[in-house]
Amino acid sequence: MYFKYLLDALFGPREILYALECTICGDDEVYFLDPKTQKQIGRACQGCNYVQKFDFSPSQG
């Protein structure tokens, strides 16, 4: 239950884009989309307790 709250706090509303087998633990590693923008926002594996939020903002040069 804690993992779901962690995803809610980091990603907010989300949709599942796809799931792959995690190379570390073998559980499902899930990739998420923002439901409004339809852009990829991150990935998470409950088995590893791993969450990564993607930030695709343009770099300043």
Side-chain angles (χ1 to χ4, degrees):
M1 192 63 128
Y2 164 78
F3 195 73
K4 181 185 178 303
Y5 292 128
L6 176 63
L7 295 179
D8 288 343
L10 289 176
F11 298 138
R14 62 198 173 278
E15 295 177 359
I16 295 176
L17 176 60
Y18 58 88
L20 299 172
E21 183 179 342
C22 177
T23 57
I24 306 299
C25 71
D27 202 2
D28 285 339
E29 181 178 38
V30 182
Y31 288 74
F32 297 103
L33 282 177
D34 182 293
K36 292 180 184 173
T37 64
Q38 293 297 304
K39 292 186 180 183
Q40 196 171 4
I41 57 173
R43 66 182 177 166
C45 176
Q46 188 170 4
C48 295
N49 202 32
Y50 173 78
V51 178
Q52 180 181 17
K53 186 172 183 178
F54 300 148
D55 182 18
F56 296 117
S57 60
S59 60
Q60 300 287 328

